[in-house]
PDB file of all heavy atoms in Angstrom:
ATOM      1  N   ALA A  25      11.447  17.246   7.400  1.00  0.00           N
ATOM      2  CA  ALA A  25      10.099  17.432   6.743  1.00  0.00           C
ATOM      3  C   ALA A  25       9.157  18.003   7.742  1.00  0.00           C
ATOM      4  O   ALA A  25       9.134  17.482   8.797  1.00  0.00           O
ATOM      5  CB  ALA A  25       9.586  16.328   5.981  1.00  0.00           C
ATOM      6  N   PRO A  26       8.440  19.049   7.255  1.00  0.00           N
ATOM      7  CA  PRO A  26       7.318  19.454   8.294  1.00  0.00           C
ATOM      8  C   PRO A  26       6.421  18.362   8.553  1.00  0.00           C
ATOM      9  O   PRO A  26       6.009  17.518   7.762  1.00  0.00           O
ATOM     10  CB  PRO A  26       6.669  20.511   7.651  1.00  0.00           C
ATOM     11  CG  PRO A  26       6.997  20.398   6.193  1.00  0.00           C
ATOM     12  CD  PRO A  26       8.282  19.832   6.143  1.00  0.00           C
ATOM     13  N   TRP A  27       5.805  18.384   9.790  1.00  0.00           N
ATOM     14  CA  TRP A  27       4.939  17.404  10.293  1.00  0.00           C
ATOM     15  C   TRP A  27       3.634  17.122   9.391  1.00  0.00           C
ATOM     16  O   TRP A  27       3.242  16.021   9.243  1.00  0.00           O
ATOM     17  CB  TRP A  27       4.432  17.517  11.836  1.00  0.00           C
ATOM     18  CG  TRP A  27       3.778  18.802  11.923  1.00  0.00           C
ATOM     19  CD1 TRP A  27       4.197  20.074  12.190  1.00  0.00           C
ATOM     20  CD2 TRP A  27       2.315  19.036  11.869  1.00  0.00           C
ATOM     21  NE1 TRP A  27       3.193  20.905  12.247  1.00  0.00           N
ATOM     22  CE2 TRP A  27       1.855  20.284  11.966  1.00  0.00           C
ATOM     23  CE3 TRP A  27       1.252  17.969  11.602  1.00  0.00           C
ATOM     24  CZ2 TRP A  27       0.656  20.782  12.014  1.00  0.00           C
ATOM     25  CZ3 TRP A  27      -0.072  18.413  11.604  1.00  0.00           C
ATOM     26  CH2 TRP A  27      -0.413  19.861  11.772  1.00  0.00           C
ATOM     27  N   TRP A  28       3.088  18.126   8.915  1.00  0.00           N
ATOM     28  CA  TRP A  28       1.920  18.122   8.134  1.00  0.00           C
ATOM     29  C   TRP A  28       2.206  17.420   6.801  1.00  0.00           C
ATOM     30  O   TRP A  28       1.354  16.767   6.260  1.00  0.00           O
ATOM     31  CB  TRP A  28       1.375  19.495   7.931  1.00  0.00           C
ATOM     32  CG  TRP A  28       2.201  20.495   7.363  1.00  0.00           C
ATOM     33  CD1 TRP A  28       3.007  21.448   8.038  1.00  0.00           C
ATOM     34  CD2 TRP A  28       2.402  20.775   5.888  1.00  0.00           C
ATOM     35  NE1 TRP A  28       3.662  22.254   7.090  1.00  0.00           N
ATOM     36  CE2 TRP A  28       3.357  21.813   5.839  1.00  0.00           C
ATOM     37  CE3 TRP A  28       2.014  20.189   4.740  1.00  0.00           C
ATOM     38  CZ2 TRP A  28       3.855  22.253   4.590  1.00  0.00           C
ATOM     39  CZ3 TRP A  28       2.412  20.682   3.581  1.00  0.00           C
ATOM     40  CH2 TRP A  28       3.322  21.652   3.452  1.00  0.00           C
ATOM     41  N   ALA A  29       3.423  17.695   6.255  1.00  0.00           N
ATOM     42  CA  ALA A  29       3.668  17.033   4.838  1.00  0.00           C
ATOM     43  C   ALA A  29       3.918  15.483   5.062  1.00  0.00           C
ATOM     44  O   ALA A  29       3.425  14.744   4.164  1.00  0.00           O
ATOM     45  CB  ALA A  29       4.981  17.656   4.348  1.00  0.00           C
ATOM     46  N   VAL A  30       4.494  15.160   6.169  1.00  0.00           N
ATOM     47  CA  VAL A  30       4.623  13.723   6.491  1.00  0.00           C
ATOM     48  C   VAL A  30       3.306  13.080   6.702  1.00  0.00           C
ATOM     49  O   VAL A  30       3.078  11.982   6.133  1.00  0.00           O
ATOM     50  CB  VAL A  30       5.585  13.655   7.694  1.00  0.00           C
ATOM     51  CG1 VAL A  30       5.591  11.872   8.127  1.00  0.00           C
ATOM     52  CG2 VAL A  30       6.968  14.074   7.520  1.00  0.00           C
ATOM     53  N   LEU A  31       2.420  13.778   7.244  1.00  0.00           N
ATOM     54  CA  LEU A  31       1.017  13.196   7.454  1.00  0.00           C
ATOM     55  C   LEU A  31       0.217  13.073   6.279  1.00  0.00           C
ATOM     56  O   LEU A  31      -0.455  12.032   5.976  1.00  0.00           O
ATOM     57  CB  LEU A  31       0.225  14.174   8.499  1.00  0.00           C
ATOM     58  CG  LEU A  31       0.424  14.013   9.915  1.00  0.00           C
ATOM     59  CD1 LEU A  31      -0.394  15.024  10.790  1.00  0.00           C
ATOM     60  CD2 LEU A  31       0.026  12.570  10.414  1.00  0.00           C
ATOM     61  N   LEU A  32       0.424  14.071   5.310  1.00  0.00           N
ATOM     62  CA  LEU A  32      -0.209  13.861   4.013  1.00  0.00           C
ATOM     63  C   LEU A  32       0.248  12.754   3.227  1.00  0.00           C
ATOM     64  O   LEU A  32      -0.582  12.016   2.734  1.00  0.00           O
ATOM     65  CB  LEU A  32      -0.002  15.271   3.243  1.00  0.00           C
ATOM     66  CG  LEU A  32      -0.859  16.549   3.600  1.00  0.00           C
ATOM     67  CD1 LEU A  32      -0.501  17.674   2.765  1.00  0.00           C
ATOM     68  CD2 LEU A  32      -2.397  16.245   3.374  1.00  0.00           C
ATOM     69  N   VAL A  33       1.483  12.548   3.265  1.00  0.00           N
ATOM     70  CA  VAL A  33       2.076  11.438   2.453  1.00  0.00           C
ATOM     71  C   VAL A  33       1.540  10.079   3.172  1.00  0.00           C
ATOM     72  O   VAL A  33       1.311   9.223   2.448  1.00  0.00           O
ATOM     73  CB  VAL A  33       3.662  11.469   2.400  1.00  0.00           C
ATOM     74  CG1 VAL A  33       4.087  10.207   1.653  1.00  0.00           C
ATOM     75  CG2 VAL A  33       3.967  12.683   1.716  1.00  0.00           C
ATOM     76  N   LEU A  34       1.607  10.115   4.397  1.00  0.00           N
ATOM     77  CA  LEU A  34       1.147   8.936   5.191  1.00  0.00           C
ATOM     78  C   LEU A  34      -0.204   8.656   4.819  1.00  0.00           C
ATOM     79  O   LEU A  34      -0.670   7.341   4.731  1.00  0.00           O
ATOM     80  CB  LEU A  34       1.322   9.254   6.697  1.00  0.00           C
ATOM     81  CG  LEU A  34       1.076   7.960   7.716  1.00  0.00           C
ATOM     82  CD1 LEU A  34       2.246   6.953   7.520  1.00  0.00           C
ATOM     83  CD2 LEU A  34       1.065   8.416   9.131  1.00  0.00           C
ATOM     84  N   GLY A  35      -1.267   9.727   4.822  1.00  0.00           N
ATOM     85  CA  GLY A  35      -2.535   9.289   4.461  1.00  0.00           C
ATOM     86  C   GLY A  35      -2.881   8.984   3.032  1.00  0.00           C
ATOM     87  O   GLY A  35      -3.606   8.091   2.692  1.00  0.00           O
ATOM     88  N   VAL A  36      -2.400   9.877   2.139  1.00  0.00           N
ATOM     89  CA  VAL A  36      -2.762   9.751   0.873  1.00  0.00           C
ATOM     90  C   VAL A  36      -1.953   8.665   0.053  1.00  0.00           C
ATOM     91  O   VAL A  36      -2.606   7.681  -0.521  1.00  0.00           O
ATOM     92  CB  VAL A  36      -2.549  11.099   0.077  1.00  0.00           C
ATOM     93  CG1 VAL A  36      -2.748  10.888  -1.509  1.00  0.00           C
ATOM     94  CG2 VAL A  36      -3.365  12.255   0.555  1.00  0.00           C
ATOM     95  N   ILE A  37      -0.617   8.574   0.198  1.00  0.00           N
ATOM     96  CA  ILE A  37       0.174   7.662  -0.481  1.00  0.00           C
ATOM     97  C   ILE A  37       0.024   6.301   0.197  1.00  0.00           C
ATOM     98  O   ILE A  37      -0.283   5.284  -0.355  1.00  0.00           O
ATOM     99  CB  ILE A  37       1.579   8.042  -0.621  1.00  0.00           C
ATOM    100  CG1 ILE A  37       1.666   9.418  -1.332  1.00  0.00           C
ATOM    101  CG2 ILE A  37       2.328   7.052  -1.433  1.00  0.00           C
ATOM    102  CD1 ILE A  37       1.082   9.403  -2.850  1.00  0.00           C
ATOM    103  N   THR A  38       0.498   6.185   1.349  1.00  0.00           N
ATOM    104  CA  THR A  38       0.525   4.868   2.125  1.00  0.00           C
ATOM    105  C   THR A  38      -0.808   4.562   2.657  1.00  0.00           C
ATOM    106  O   THR A  38      -1.050   3.375   3.186  1.00  0.00           O
ATOM    107  CB  THR A  38       1.626   4.892   3.392  1.00  0.00           C
ATOM    108  OG1 THR A  38       0.904   5.709   4.471  1.00  0.00           O
ATOM    109  CG2 THR A  38       2.722   5.704   2.967  1.00  0.00           C
ATOM    110  N   GLY A  39      -1.919   5.409   2.553  1.00  0.00           N
ATOM    111  CA  GLY A  39      -3.243   5.071   2.978  1.00  0.00           C
ATOM    112  C   GLY A  39      -4.154   4.878   1.792  1.00  0.00           C
ATOM    113  O   GLY A  39      -4.261   3.552   1.374  1.00  0.00           O
ATOM    114  N   ALA A  40      -4.511   5.756   1.137  1.00  0.00           N
ATOM    115  CA  ALA A  40      -5.578   5.685   0.016  1.00  0.00           C
ATOM    116  C   ALA A  40      -5.006   4.913  -1.118  1.00  0.00           C
ATOM    117  O   ALA A  40      -5.597   3.881  -1.578  1.00  0.00           O
ATOM    118  CB  ALA A  40      -5.958   7.109  -0.395  1.00  0.00           C
ATOM    119  N   VAL A  41      -3.844   5.218  -1.628  1.00  0.00           N
ATOM    120  CA  VAL A  41      -3.313   4.576  -2.805  1.00  0.00           C
ATOM    121  C   VAL A  41      -2.904   3.133  -2.514  1.00  0.00           C
ATOM    122  O   VAL A  41      -3.157   2.231  -3.383  1.00  0.00           O
ATOM    123  CB  VAL A  41      -2.096   5.363  -3.305  1.00  0.00           C
ATOM    124  CG1 VAL A  41      -1.306   4.590  -4.353  1.00  0.00           C
ATOM    125  CG2 VAL A  41      -2.403   6.746  -3.784  1.00  0.00           C
ATOM    126  N   SER A  42      -2.330   2.904  -1.454  1.00  0.00           N
ATOM    127  CA  SER A  42      -1.954   1.570  -0.991  1.00  0.00           C
ATOM    128  C   SER A  42      -3.141   0.507  -0.887  1.00  0.00           C
ATOM    129  O   SER A  42      -2.996  -0.628  -1.401  1.00  0.00           O
ATOM    130  CB  SER A  42      -1.139   1.481   0.177  1.00  0.00           C
ATOM    131  OG  SER A  42      -1.840   1.980   1.340  1.00  0.00           O
ATOM    132  N   TYR A  43      -4.168   1.034  -0.354  1.00  0.00           N
ATOM    133  CA  TYR A  43      -5.379  -0.007  -0.141  1.00  0.00           C
ATOM    134  C   TYR A  43      -6.018  -0.369  -1.466  1.00  0.00           C
ATOM    135  O   TYR A  43      -6.395  -1.491  -1.744  1.00  0.00           O
ATOM    136  CB  TYR A  43      -6.366   0.641   0.903  1.00  0.00           C
ATOM    137  CG  TYR A  43      -5.928   0.335   2.275  1.00  0.00           C
ATOM    138  CD1 TYR A  43      -5.435   1.466   3.114  1.00  0.00           C
ATOM    139  CD2 TYR A  43      -5.874  -0.872   2.841  1.00  0.00           C
ATOM    140  CE1 TYR A  43      -4.906   1.286   4.361  1.00  0.00           C
ATOM    141  CE2 TYR A  43      -5.457  -1.115   4.149  1.00  0.00           C
ATOM    142  CZ  TYR A  43      -4.966  -0.045   4.903  1.00  0.00           C
ATOM    143  OH  TYR A  43      -4.562  -0.308   6.183  1.00  0.00           O
ATOM    144  N   VAL A  44      -6.228   0.742  -2.363  1.00  0.00           N
ATOM    145  CA  VAL A  44      -6.895   0.548  -3.569  1.00  0.00           C
ATOM    146  C   VAL A  44      -6.102  -0.329  -4.550  1.00  0.00           C
ATOM    147  O   VAL A  44      -6.624  -1.304  -5.151  1.00  0.00           O
ATOM    148  CB  VAL A  44      -7.160   1.924  -4.281  1.00  0.00           C
ATOM    149  CG1 VAL A  44      -7.692   1.700  -5.641  1.00  0.00           C
ATOM    150  CG2 VAL A  44      -8.172   2.653  -3.454  1.00  0.00           C
ATOM    151  N   THR A  45      -4.763  -0.049  -4.610  1.00  0.00           N
ATOM    152  CA  THR A  45      -3.948  -0.826  -5.496  1.00  0.00           C
ATOM    153  C   THR A  45      -3.685  -2.164  -4.893  1.00  0.00           C
ATOM    154  O   THR A  45      -3.564  -3.180  -5.633  1.00  0.00           O
ATOM    155  CB  THR A  45      -2.485  -0.177  -5.717  1.00  0.00           C
ATOM    156  OG1 THR A  45      -1.903   0.106  -4.414  1.00  0.00           O
ATOM    157  CG2 THR A  45      -2.664   1.156  -6.457  1.00  0.00           C
ATOM    158  N   GLY A  46      -3.642  -2.354  -3.596  1.00  0.00           N
ATOM    159  CA  GLY A  46      -3.569  -3.767  -2.930  1.00  0.00           C
ATOM    160  C   GLY A  46      -4.836  -4.569  -3.297  1.00  0.00           C
ATOM    161  O   GLY A  46      -4.700  -5.880  -3.542  1.00  0.00           O
ATOM    162  N   ILE A  47      -5.891  -3.968  -3.157  1.00  0.00           N
ATOM    163  CA  ILE A  47      -7.175  -4.846  -3.493  1.00  0.00           C
ATOM    164  C   ILE A  47      -7.215  -5.046  -4.865  1.00  0.00           C
ATOM    165  O   ILE A  47      -7.547  -6.296  -5.330  1.00  0.00           O
ATOM    166  CB  ILE A  47      -8.504  -4.050  -2.890  1.00  0.00           C
ATOM    167  CG1 ILE A  47      -8.529  -3.886  -1.497  1.00  0.00           C
ATOM    168  CG2 ILE A  47      -9.750  -4.720  -3.475  1.00  0.00           C
ATOM    169  CD1 ILE A  47      -9.644  -2.828  -1.007  1.00  0.00           C
ATOM    170  N   ALA A  48      -6.930  -4.168  -5.799  1.00  0.00           N
ATOM    171  CA  ALA A  48      -6.965  -4.499  -7.127  1.00  0.00           C
ATOM    172  C   ALA A  48      -5.999  -5.538  -7.664  1.00  0.00           C
ATOM    173  O   ALA A  48      -6.312  -6.364  -8.470  1.00  0.00           O
ATOM    174  CB  ALA A  48      -6.611  -3.120  -7.922  1.00  0.00           C
ATOM    175  N   ALA A  49      -4.923  -5.560  -6.868  1.00  0.00           N
ATOM    176  CA  ALA A  49      -3.834  -6.678  -7.226  1.00  0.00           C
ATOM    177  C   ALA A  49      -4.355  -7.921  -6.755  1.00  0.00           C
ATOM    178  O   ALA A  49      -4.179  -8.916  -7.460  1.00  0.00           O
ATOM    179  CB  ALA A  49      -2.520  -6.171  -6.436  1.00  0.00           C
ATOM    180  N   THR A  50      -4.908  -8.075  -5.565  1.00  0.00           N
ATOM    181  CA  THR A  50      -5.351  -9.305  -5.046  1.00  0.00           C
ATOM    182  C   THR A  50      -6.461  -9.865  -5.680  1.00  0.00           C
ATOM    183  O   THR A  50      -6.706 -11.027  -5.950  1.00  0.00           O
ATOM    184  CB  THR A  50      -5.632  -9.201  -3.483  1.00  0.00           C
ATOM    185  OG1 THR A  50      -4.530  -8.602  -2.973  1.00  0.00           O
ATOM    186  CG2 THR A  50      -5.775 -10.605  -2.866  1.00  0.00           C
ATOM    187  N   ARG A  51      -7.322  -8.924  -6.345  1.00  0.00           N
ATOM    188  CA  ARG A  51      -8.461  -9.430  -7.113  1.00  0.00           C
ATOM    189  C   ARG A  51      -7.945 -10.008  -8.327  1.00  0.00           C
ATOM    190  O   ARG A  51      -8.627 -11.005  -8.872  1.00  0.00           O
ATOM    191  CB  ARG A  51      -9.370  -8.217  -7.377  1.00  0.00           C
ATOM    192  CG  ARG A  51     -10.201  -7.635  -6.274  1.00  0.00           C
ATOM    193  CD  ARG A  51     -11.448  -8.448  -6.034  1.00  0.00           C
ATOM    194  NE  ARG A  51     -12.193  -8.037  -4.806  1.00  0.00           N
ATOM    195  CZ  ARG A  51     -13.069  -6.995  -4.920  1.00  0.00           C
ATOM    196  NH1 ARG A  51     -13.400  -6.487  -5.950  1.00  0.00           N
ATOM    197  NH2 ARG A  51     -13.745  -6.692  -3.726  1.00  0.00           N
ATOM    198  N   ARG A  52      -6.942  -9.641  -8.969  1.00  0.00           N
ATOM    199  CA  ARG A  52      -6.352 -10.149 -10.191  1.00  0.00           C
ATOM    200  C   ARG A  52      -5.544 -11.385  -9.894  1.00  0.00           C
ATOM    201  O   ARG A  52      -5.431 -12.290 -10.808  1.00  0.00           O
ATOM    202  CB  ARG A  52      -5.508  -9.099 -10.820  1.00  0.00           C
ATOM    203  CG  ARG A  52      -6.418  -7.982 -11.543  1.00  0.00           C
ATOM    204  CD  ARG A  52      -5.626  -6.735 -11.970  1.00  0.00           C
ATOM    205  NE  ARG A  52      -6.458  -5.757 -12.702  1.00  0.00           N
ATOM    206  CZ  ARG A  52      -7.276  -4.996 -12.153  1.00  0.00           C
ATOM    207  NH1 ARG A  52      -7.517  -5.066 -10.846  1.00  0.00           N
ATOM    208  NH2 ARG A  52      -8.009  -4.082 -12.863  1.00  0.00           N
ATOM    209  N   LEU A  53      -4.767 -11.430  -8.773  1.00  0.00           N
ATOM    210  CA  LEU A  53      -3.814 -12.530  -8.541  1.00  0.00           C
ATOM    211  C   LEU A  53      -4.367 -13.669  -7.599  1.00  0.00           C
ATOM    212  O   LEU A  53      -3.811 -14.723  -7.700  1.00  0.00           O
ATOM    213  CB  LEU A  53      -2.611 -11.934  -7.880  1.00  0.00           C
ATOM    214  CG  LEU A  53      -1.807 -10.826  -8.654  1.00  0.00           C
ATOM    215  CD1 LEU A  53      -0.657 -10.396  -7.892  1.00  0.00           C
ATOM    216  CD2 LEU A  53      -1.322 -11.377 -10.074  1.00  0.00           C
ATOM    217  N   GLY A  54      -5.393 -13.276  -6.859  1.00  0.00           N
ATOM    218  CA  GLY A  54      -6.000 -14.266  -5.854  1.00  0.00           C
ATOM    219  C   GLY A  54      -5.273 -14.026  -4.565  1.00  0.00           C
ATOM    220  O   GLY A  54      -4.237 -13.338  -4.425  1.00  0.00           O
ATOM    221  N   SER A  55      -5.869 -14.541  -3.527  1.00  0.00           N
ATOM    222  CA  SER A  55      -5.366 -14.327  -2.007  1.00  0.00           C
ATOM    223  C   SER A  55      -4.006 -14.836  -1.910  1.00  0.00           C
ATOM    224  O   SER A  55      -3.066 -14.295  -1.242  1.00  0.00           O
ATOM    225  CB  SER A  55      -6.384 -14.727  -1.070  1.00  0.00           C
ATOM    226  OG  SER A  55      -6.610 -16.172  -1.230  1.00  0.00           O
ATOM    227  N   ARG A  56      -3.770 -16.129  -2.408  1.00  0.00           N
ATOM    228  CA  ARG A  56      -2.488 -16.782  -2.234  1.00  0.00           C
ATOM    229  C   ARG A  56      -1.295 -16.117  -2.959  1.00  0.00           C
ATOM    230  O   ARG A  56      -0.384 -15.703  -2.396  1.00  0.00           O
ATOM    231  CB  ARG A  56      -2.566 -18.243  -2.675  1.00  0.00           C
ATOM    232  CG  ARG A  56      -3.457 -19.116  -1.880  1.00  0.00           C
ATOM    233  CD  ARG A  56      -3.355 -20.668  -2.279  1.00  0.00           C
ATOM    234  NE  ARG A  56      -4.279 -21.431  -1.493  1.00  0.00           N
ATOM    235  CZ  ARG A  56      -5.689 -21.618  -1.799  1.00  0.00           C
ATOM    236  NH1 ARG A  56      -6.156 -20.964  -2.887  1.00  0.00           N
ATOM    237  NH2 ARG A  56      -6.392 -22.480  -1.092  1.00  0.00           N
ATOM    238  N   LEU A  57      -1.533 -16.035  -4.349  1.00  0.00           N
ATOM    239  CA  LEU A  57      -0.452 -15.409  -5.106  1.00  0.00           C
ATOM    240  C   LEU A  57      -0.294 -14.038  -4.713  1.00  0.00           C
ATOM    241  O   LEU A  57       0.873 -13.485  -4.609  1.00  0.00           O
ATOM    242  CB  LEU A  57      -0.786 -15.564  -6.641  1.00  0.00           C
ATOM    243  CG  LEU A  57       0.234 -14.913  -7.512  1.00  0.00           C
ATOM    244  CD1 LEU A  57       1.527 -15.566  -7.317  1.00  0.00           C
ATOM    245  CD2 LEU A  57      -0.189 -15.058  -8.961  1.00  0.00           C
ATOM    246  N   GLY A  58      -1.329 -13.291  -4.442  1.00  0.00           N
ATOM    247  CA  GLY A  58      -1.245 -11.816  -4.058  1.00  0.00           C
ATOM    248  C   GLY A  58      -0.465 -11.596  -2.661  1.00  0.00           C
ATOM    249  O   GLY A  58       0.408 -10.741  -2.610  1.00  0.00           O
ATOM    250  N   SER A  59      -0.677 -12.523  -1.753  1.00  0.00           N
ATOM    251  CA  SER A  59       0.002 -12.382  -0.524  1.00  0.00           C
ATOM    252  C   SER A  59       1.550 -12.731  -0.652  1.00  0.00           C
ATOM    253  O   SER A  59       2.246 -12.161   0.110  1.00  0.00           O
ATOM    254  CB  SER A  59      -0.592 -13.456   0.524  1.00  0.00           C
ATOM    255  OG  SER A  59      -0.377 -14.742   0.157  1.00  0.00           O
ATOM    256  N   PHE A  60       1.867 -13.492  -1.473  1.00  0.00           N
ATOM    257  CA  PHE A  60       3.241 -13.767  -1.798  1.00  0.00           C
ATOM    258  C   PHE A  60       4.020 -12.758  -2.533  1.00  0.00           C
ATOM    259  O   PHE A  60       5.130 -12.403  -2.182  1.00  0.00           O
ATOM    260  CB  PHE A  60       3.471 -15.221  -2.348  1.00  0.00           C
ATOM    261  CG  PHE A  60       3.337 -16.279  -1.476  1.00  0.00           C
ATOM    262  CD1 PHE A  60       2.093 -16.876  -1.249  1.00  0.00           C
ATOM    263  CD2 PHE A  60       4.292 -16.781  -0.668  1.00  0.00           C
ATOM    264  CE1 PHE A  60       1.873 -17.877  -0.211  1.00  0.00           C
ATOM    265  CE2 PHE A  60       4.069 -17.782   0.239  1.00  0.00           C
ATOM    266  CZ  PHE A  60       2.936 -18.372   0.484  1.00  0.00           C
ATOM    267  N   VAL A  61       3.314 -12.138  -3.618  1.00  0.00           N
ATOM    268  CA  VAL A  61       3.941 -11.173  -4.376  1.00  0.00           C
ATOM    269  C   VAL A  61       4.133  -9.891  -3.354  1.00  0.00           C
ATOM    270  O   VAL A  61       4.985  -9.296  -3.494  1.00  0.00           O
ATOM    271  CB  VAL A  61       3.120 -10.691  -5.548  1.00  0.00           C
ATOM    272  CG1 VAL A  61       3.706  -9.524  -6.262  1.00  0.00           C
ATOM    273  CG2 VAL A  61       3.124 -11.807  -6.590  1.00  0.00           C
ATOM    274  N   ALA A  62       3.175  -9.703  -2.490  1.00  0.00           N
ATOM    275  CA  ALA A  62       3.196  -8.508  -1.574  1.00  0.00           C
ATOM    276  C   ALA A  62       4.389  -8.657  -0.636  1.00  0.00           C
ATOM    277  O   ALA A  62       4.670  -7.631   0.110  1.00  0.00           O
ATOM    278  CB  ALA A  62       1.953  -8.434  -0.840  1.00  0.00           C
ATOM    279  N   LEU A  63       5.119  -9.725  -0.461  1.00  0.00           N
ATOM    280  CA  LEU A  63       6.328  -9.881   0.263  1.00  0.00           C
ATOM    281  C   LEU A  63       7.341  -8.816  -0.162  1.00  0.00           C
ATOM    282  O   LEU A  63       8.233  -8.540   0.578  1.00  0.00           O
ATOM    283  CB  LEU A  63       6.844 -11.263   0.236  1.00  0.00           C
ATOM    284  CG  LEU A  63       6.099 -12.247   0.986  1.00  0.00           C
ATOM    285  CD1 LEU A  63       6.640 -13.689   0.684  1.00  0.00           C
ATOM    286  CD2 LEU A  63       6.220 -11.995   2.554  1.00  0.00           C
ATOM    287  N   SER A  64       7.210  -8.324  -1.431  1.00  0.00           N
ATOM    288  CA  SER A  64       8.136  -7.238  -1.856  1.00  0.00           C
ATOM    289  C   SER A  64       8.082  -6.001  -1.009  1.00  0.00           C
ATOM    290  O   SER A  64       9.000  -5.176  -1.038  1.00  0.00           O
ATOM    291  CB  SER A  64       7.974  -6.978  -3.312  1.00  0.00           C
ATOM    292  OG  SER A  64       6.528  -6.674  -3.505  1.00  0.00           O
ATOM    293  N   GLU A  65       6.953  -5.816  -0.256  1.00  0.00           N
ATOM    294  CA  GLU A  65       6.859  -4.818   0.686  1.00  0.00           C
ATOM    295  C   GLU A  65       7.955  -4.880   1.711  1.00  0.00           C
ATOM    296  O   GLU A  65       8.346  -3.754   2.120  1.00  0.00           O
ATOM    297  CB  GLU A  65       5.453  -4.747   1.383  1.00  0.00           C
ATOM    298  CG  GLU A  65       5.215  -3.609   2.273  1.00  0.00           C
ATOM    299  CD  GLU A  65       3.980  -3.746   3.068  1.00  0.00           C
ATOM    300  OE1 GLU A  65       2.976  -4.366   2.701  1.00  0.00           O
ATOM    301  OE2 GLU A  65       3.808  -3.110   4.264  1.00  0.00           O
ATOM    302  N   VAL A  66       8.315  -6.040   2.113  1.00  0.00           N
ATOM    303  CA  VAL A  66       9.378  -6.075   3.209  1.00  0.00           C
ATOM    304  C   VAL A  66      10.717  -5.502   2.479  1.00  0.00           C
ATOM    305  O   VAL A  66      11.280  -4.825   3.343  1.00  0.00           O
ATOM    306  CB  VAL A  66       9.642  -7.646   3.493  1.00  0.00           C
ATOM    307  CG1 VAL A  66      10.836  -7.735   4.474  1.00  0.00           C
ATOM    308  CG2 VAL A  66       8.362  -8.237   4.176  1.00  0.00           C
ATOM    309  N   ILE A  67      10.954  -5.707   1.306  1.00  0.00           N
ATOM    310  CA  ILE A  67      12.234  -5.084   0.751  1.00  0.00           C
ATOM    311  C   ILE A  67      12.008  -3.609   0.749  1.00  0.00           C
ATOM    312  O   ILE A  67      13.006  -2.830   1.025  1.00  0.00           O
ATOM    313  CB  ILE A  67      12.343  -5.726  -0.612  1.00  0.00           C
ATOM    314  CG1 ILE A  67      12.592  -7.367  -0.645  1.00  0.00           C
ATOM    315  CG2 ILE A  67      13.629  -5.177  -1.358  1.00  0.00           C
ATOM    316  CD1 ILE A  67      12.735  -8.037  -2.005  1.00  0.00           C
ATOM    317  N   ALA A  68      10.845  -3.210   0.169  1.00  0.00           N
ATOM    318  CA  ALA A  68      10.619  -1.706   0.130  1.00  0.00           C
ATOM    319  C   ALA A  68      10.773  -1.131   1.413  1.00  0.00           C
ATOM    320  O   ALA A  68      11.354  -0.022   1.688  1.00  0.00           O
ATOM    321  CB  ALA A  68       9.352  -1.452  -0.488  1.00  0.00           C
TER     322      ALA A  68
END
C-alpha cells in the first residue's frame, strides 16, 4: 500500500475514530469494566 494511504488510515481510523469510541465506551461502562472489555484489542 502507498505510504500516504497507510498514514491516512493510521490517523483517521486508528486515531480519531479509536479515541472517540474508546471514551464513549468507557463513559458508559466505567473505567474498570471498560478497561477489561478493551482487552479484546489484544486479540484484534
Side-chain angles (χ1 to χ4, degrees):
W27 63 272
W28 56 267
V30 175
L31 278 178
L32 280 178
V33 176
L34 188 66
V36 176
I37 303 300
T38 77
V41 173
S42 61
Y43 281 108
V44 172
T45 53
I47 295 172
T50 311
R51 289 279 176 90
R52 287 163 172 78
L53 302 177
S55 59
R56 291 184 183 87
L57 181 56
S59 64
F60 283 90
V61 175
L63 285 171
S64 56
E65 181 186 338
V66 176
I67 300 174

